[in-house]
Amino acid sequence: KENPYEYNVDEFRKVDPALISYNEVRQIKVDMGETGGIATANGSIFLAAGSSVKTLSPDGKLIAQFKIEEQPRNIAVDNNQVVVAYEKSFTAYSLKGEKLYQSGAINDSTVITSVAIRNNHVIVADAGKRRIWVFNRDEKIKEIEGVSGAKNLHGFVIPSPYFDVAVNSDNELWAANTGMHTLQQYDENGNLVRSWEKISLQIEGFSGCCNPAHFTFLPDGRFVTSEKGMPRIKIYKPDGTLESVVAPPDKFKEDGHAAEVATLSETVVALDYDKKMIRIFEKK
């Protein structure tokens, strides 16, 4: 007899083709270990992987590179600096690769899962301490607990090392409270400004223990989200309404890692950790 209690999500892997708004146009093979990150700035892709940071054109040509000291986990770039995060610390470089400053180990239990830059401050998501740290160069100046005095919030619920932060074109700081399947905006004082939540196995929501694993923004403030467990990349309107799908689950390894995501204007750039490649998706 069939098991009536079998956990089967196969039907949720199927996506209506009418929802898919992007085509994959390019794949760039990269040499990397199990960790690394991508960021975009000035029309280029920055890849932190192995022992270096590489600057690539959208068609995959190497523009520049410089050596780094440890195995990188994340990267953030603006017009002034490149911030490379390791497990417990980060280092800031000039765009030419000259070291500007570096933090010490933040905490013995720190696990850095994301970095962003806002007003020249480095924003660090720490899944080990379940905190967001704000640094002015190498000096820690603030911590955000994700509580903000709201009765319905319980701090950052981070069941696994997936905890992302990003800054949009309006200079708003957002964080993925993955255990609550929620995206939250925080002001400069660490107060919650607004949030939206989507819990569902259906395509409209986030499922599993901890999603969205990664997210970023399109220029007009729409969200690009990436999920683990049932990997997929989607686009949400600023109010949290699902707009379309960039890449359905059948584009990824089953039960694979969530792809890191970045954007070049309307183009979505994804770092696929399982296939060891940068994948470029353009709007249909």
Side-chain angles (χ1 to χ4, degrees):
K1 292 183 179 181
E2 292 185 5
N3 180 2
Y5 305 107
E6 180 184 10
Y7 182 68
N8 192 324
V9 297
D10 287 347
E11 66 177 288
F12 300 109
R13 298 182 189 278
K14 300 172 184 176
V15 175
D16 182 352
L19 263 181
I20 302 173
S21 60
Y22 277 69
N23 286 322
E24 185 171 9
V25 298
R26 192 172 302 111
Q27 296 180 340
I28 304 166
K29 279 286 189 180
V30 295
D31 183 16
M32 63 179 296
E34 293 188 2
T35 66
I38 55 169
T40 51
N42 305 317
S44 298
I45 301 167
F46 291 78
L47 168 70
S51 59
S52 68
V53 170
K54 292 182 171 70
T55 308
L56 306 170
S57 66
D59 59 1
K61 292 179 181 177
L62 180 65
I63 298 171
Q65 66 178 321
F66 61 86
K67 292 288 185 181
I68 53 178
E69 300 163 347
E70 299 179 45
Q71 183 73 23
R73 288 175 172 260
N74 317 100
I75 183 172
V77 184
D78 68 4
N79 292 327
N80 302 310
Q81 59 185 329
V82 178
V83 177
V84 180
Y86 308 107
E87 182 177 357
K88 299 186 184 299
S89 65
F90 65 85
T91 303
Y93 299 88
S94 72
L95 298 182
K96 295 181 179 179
E98 302 153 332
K99 186 184 291 186
L100 301 177
Y101 58 91
Q102 63 187 115
S103 74
I106 296 174
N107 192 282
D108 288 345
S109 56
T110 286
V111 178
I112 297 176
T113 49
S114 181
V115 286
I117 302 170
R118 183 191 191 200
N119 300 331
N120 284 323
H121 292 156
V122 177
I123 314 295
V124 178
D126 182 347
K129 295 297 290 183
R130 297 173 177 82
R131 294 284 190 278
I132 293 173
W133 310 106
V134 181
F135 283 80
N136 181 15
R137 293 180 65 87
D138 58 349
E139 180 186 359
K140 189 194 304 175
I141 60 173
K142 187 175 293 296
E143 68 176 272
I144 300 173
E145 299 181 66
V147 177
S148 305
K151 293 180 180 178
N152 62 334
L153 291 179
H154 307 283
F156 293 118
V157 181
I158 311 297
S160 68
Y162 289 92
F163 182 24
D164 207 1
V165 289
V167 176
N168 65 16
S169 58
D170 289 329
N171 210 31
E172 297 172 343
L173 172 63
W174 285 78
N177 199 339
T178 55
M180 298 177 72
H181 302 94
T182 302
L183 282 155
Q184 301 172 329
Q185 182 199 346
Y186 289 89
D187 67 16
E188 292 187 356
N189 295 315
N191 298 312
L192 181 70
V193 178
R194 55 181 167 147
S195 66
W196 56 269
E197 171 190 279
K198 297 285 179 181
I199 304 174
S200 174
L201 277 169
Q202 304 290 341
I203 191 67
E204 293 83 6
F206 304 120
S207 61
C209 75
C210 26
N211 275 311
H214 300 290
F215 75 99
T216 189
F217 294 97
L218 291 164
D220 61 3
R222 286 175 293 156
F223 295 83
V224 180
T225 65
S226 176
E227 296 167 66
K228 64 184 286 287
M230 186 160 49
R232 53 195 184 186
I233 300 173
K234 299 180 292 190
I235 294 175
Y236 286 86
K237 296 177 182 178
D239 65 359
T241 303
L242 177 70
E243 180 179 291
S244 64
V245 175
V246 174
D250 62 15
K251 284 279 188 181
F252 300 98
K253 177 183 175 183
E254 188 171 332
D255 298 322
H257 294 83
E260 175 67 283
V261 285
T263 57
L264 285 168
S265 187
E266 293 287 320
T267 297
V268 175
V269 182
L271 179 58
D272 188 325
Y273 295 94
D274 296 308
K275 296 185 177 181
K276 311 293 185 192
M277 62 174 60
I278 296 172
R279 304 172 67 177
I280 310 294
F281 298 87
E282 292 185 355
K283 199 169 183 179
K284 290 182 178 179

